[in-house]
Amino acid sequence: LMKITILYGTETGNAEMLADDIASHLKAHETETANLSDFSPDDFEATVVYLFVCSTYGDGELPASAKPFGAAMDVRKPDLSAVRFAVFGLGDSEYEETFNHGSKRIMELMEAAGAKRIGDRVTHDASGSDMAEDIALPWADDIVELAGRMNRENA
């Protein structure tokens, strides 16, 4: 049983819906979802695995609900070396230059704070043929498995 918090950054609500789908999918664990607009860099806990679900807005910027978190991370520069996280990005490859830059920015902010990334950042393309949850749910399973392995190795 793992403690998992799914943090979403959204502009139109798609990332929130996907975060809820992932939470339902991982219901065997202790899961909760939170909007990044309600989450502070001080809220991270070492015992929780954080799954970020983040869209991209405008010219590759963080979506509205993730902007305050991004700004707080820049200002506070917290030490998150005990924190583990994974990132799933929502985007549209029609915007080639900035495709999935929102999730990339989250990943960079977390890594700059010393947090440990679990697995690769995985992205969904709205112009592709796959549904976001068809990619996100197996991704979430993989992350949970990797996190479990890390727990056992560090035990």
Side-chain angles (χ1 to χ4, degrees):
L1 189 70
M2 214 175 287
K3 286 175 91 169
I4 300 166
T5 298
I6 303 153
L7 298 170
Y8 59 88
T10 194
E11 188 82 29
T12 59
N14 287 342
E16 180 177 5
M17 286 189 296
L18 186 57
D20 289 338
D21 288 346
I22 294 169
S24 304
H25 181 70
L26 297 177
K27 64 181 177 292
H29 298 276
E30 252 183 83
T31 58
E32 58 176 331
T33 58
N35 192 329
L36 274 170
S37 62
D38 302 325
F39 195 86
S40 148
D42 306 329
D43 294 339
F44 285 107
E45 293 173 53
T47 54
V48 178
V49 173
Y50 294 91
L51 305 186
F52 286 90
V53 177
C54 190
S55 62
T56 301
Y57 187 71
D59 295 323
E61 294 150 54
L62 288 175
S65 88
K67 279 199 166 123
F69 173 80
M73 287 287 284
D74 278 337
V75 171
R76 300 217 190 129
K77 310 230 180 297
D79 173 8
L80 302 180
S81 51
V83 174
R84 292 168 307 157
F85 75 102
V87 181
F88 188 87
L90 293 167
D92 188 332
S93 61
E94 281 189 17
Y95 304 95
E96 211 176 318
E97 297 293 301
T98 59
F99 179 59
N100 258 297
H101 278 208
S103 58
K104 183 167 179 257
R105 174 96 177 101
I106 289 284
M107 182 177 81
E108 288 165 353
L109 284 166
M110 292 298 289
E111 288 181 337
K116 291 176 187 59
R117 180 164 48 89
I118 306 169
D120 295 324
R121 176 176 67 110
V122 171
T123 58
H124 174 255
D125 179 4
S127 290
S129 56
D130 295 306
M131 300 287 287
E133 51 270 25
D134 292 343
I135 300 172
L137 301 183
W139 165 80
D141 288 335
D142 288 347
I143 297 304
V144 168
E145 190 184 321
L146 284 167
R149 205 175 305 156
M150 287 164 86
N151 287 349
R152 288 190 294 279
E153 284 166 11
N154 298 331

